[in-house]
Amino acid sequence: MYWADKLLENFDKSNNYRVDDMKTPSGHAHAGSLRAIATHGLIYEALKDAGYNVDFTYVINDMDPMDGLPVYLDKTVYEQHMGKPLNSIPSPDGKAENFAMFYANEYISAFNTLGFKPEIHKSSDLYKQGQIDKYIRMALDEVEVIRNIYKKVAGQTKPEGWYPFQVICPQCGKVGTSLVTDWDGELVTYSCEENLVEWTKGCGHKGRISPFGGTGKLMWKVDWPAHWAAMNISIEGAGKDHFSKGGSRYIAAEVIKDVFKTDPPFGFLHEFLLIGGAKMSSSKGNATSAAEFVKILPPQIGRFLHVRTPYQRAINFDPNISNTIPDLFDEYDRCAKVFFETGTETDQGRYFQAAQINKDKIEPTFLPRFRTVATLVQMPSVNLRDYFSNEKGSSLSALEIELLEERVVYAKLWLERFAADTEKFNLAEETPIQVNVLSESQLGFLGLLADMLSTKDFAEGEELQQAIFELAKSTGIQTKEAFAAIYISLIGKNHGPKAGWLLKDAVAKDKEKYISRLRSII
Ligand SMILES: [Zn+2]
């Protein structure tokens, strides 16, 4: 059973549900982050498909402090902002509202591409509009309960006078450096500590301030459940880092129950999406970003990657291994075939359906194999529409033409960025050195081929392909040997795509050159 459908057994149709995901916009979101939003998005869609009352939200944790500098940012510009809330730091492009929104928008646009369009909420708005005030009061009043939770769940002993709240220092603007030492029911007493954290220094300012309306924020493990409670979030999973023993998820779940007096959302641990075998942090510049990642696959194939693997299992996706992308397309096509034959009776059919952004109108379509498209786009003489309508046995529908064009775009991209050299069939500019291995009978065949090409024009690759077959037959050479001779002399490899079209391309490009090459070899 499709994993998202299986999860439905935990939910009751008479309830309303809100699926939520949240993230701190501290830099370019890594491609691996897409696992979280895709898992939540697919659960939301499965609930919706099954007729549940459900909505989908995404929270930008823009009040979190900048606690590390991504390598691609200028240290001399950004070091002074370390410790400030991300929404009070200038945007790197000077255009976005602030630093947080610059990176949040980039990530939102990436997951929108995949068809996931949750309602967007900013944590700073919730704080400023007073929606978190109630929970701030509860957390400060019940600080002893929270201290006990930290002790019980994580074995951490918080010092005397510790409060789970940080004021945004009115003097230096930093939130990561401030320490609350007292709460009188109205105001908190705070100090901006020089050495509270290793990554930045506070200014030493001290004072008393109301903690409400956005003057500060709850610490993460209390802030998270405050958002759950304030937004009525009923389903929210997290990566396994949050689910480690004594991790934030377990503390947050206790805080919402014992302090905010409501139930935690249904939680689940989703595994990582590993790009190229490693989970890379978004603050390291070498990571593949989510924004880049969504460009290498069509949206429905990008979704399929998340659909076909249960959230409990890691996805290892290495586009740099030449077969990775073509294999994914093949698997998608197999599922499509099953869907068009038997609908969603089997998991494979359901996978295909769940991978579609618009599930309402899925018409049976002929899908040109990605690998074949990638080979044929390298041969200008091949008319792809004719080729595939021939393979299909009837003309392509408008949608099929659209899908073919889409695959052409992604095939070209794959060839350019990820395909192994063995997949590329560029006509060699110079006579390849490999011609030395050609046998006597192969050389004889090439001589006859040169004669044939100089005396006869071929309108189509197909026609030339046929002529090559017949020529080989008439000379008694094995067809395989004959074709290898053509590949070796044109592209320096002993295998290749359709020889007729390849030769047609060569002749179209420079008839003289390639005929004299064949003659020079023999
Ligand atoms: Zn300060």
Side-chain angles (χ1 to χ4, degrees), residues 494-506:
N494 61 8
H495 70 283
K498 315 248 168 209
W501 283 267
L502 187 68
L503 205 49
K504 172 84 183 128
D505 284 342

Side-chain angles (χ1 to χ4, degrees), residues 16 44 73 284 477 488 514:
N16 290 327
Y44 159 72
L73 288 179
K284 294 208 179 105
I477 187 177
I488 288 173
Y514 289 98

Side-chain angles (χ1 to χ4, degrees), residues 169-174 177 192-193 201-205:
C169 174
Q171 186 163 289
C172 71
K174 294 183 182 180
T177 50
C192 184
E193 299 279 316
K201 291 201 180 305
C203 69
H205 179 74

Side-chain angles (χ1 to χ4, degrees), residues 76 87 138 193 228 242 263 311 352 392 429 455:
T76 56
N87 72 332
M138 287 168 144
E193 299 279 316
W228 289 342
H242 293 294
D263 290 329
Y311 63 90
F352 173 78
K392 181 193 171 194
E429 280 306 313
T455 52

Side-chain angles (χ1 to χ4, degrees), residues 36-53:
I37 193 74
T39 302
H40 287 91
L42 292 170
I43 292 171
Y44 159 72
E45 290 177 13
L47 280 158
K48 207 159 154 265
D49 291 350
Y52 285 76
N53 287 318

Side-chain angles (χ1 to χ4, degrees), residues 203-271:
C203 69
H205 179 74
K206 290 179 184 356
R208 296 177 77 213
I209 197 170
S210 161
F212 305 122
T215 57
K217 73 179 284 289
L218 290 162
M219 288 178 185
W220 164 240
K221 291 165 194 172
V222 183
D223 173 86
W224 194 10
H227 282 76
W228 289 342
M231 290 177 61
N232 285 316
I233 292 165
S234 39
I235 302 171
E236 182 168 331
K240 63 177 176 183
D241 36 351
H242 293 294
F243 271 97
S244 57
K245 192 166 177 288
S248 50
R249 169 75 203 199
Y250 296 110
I251 292 180
E254 294 296 311
V255 170
I256 196 173
K257 275 188 288 191
D258 295 351
V259 181
F260 302 150
K261 308 291 182 203
T262 182
D263 290 329
F266 174 84
F268 55 91
L269 183 166
H270 61 77
E271 263 287 354

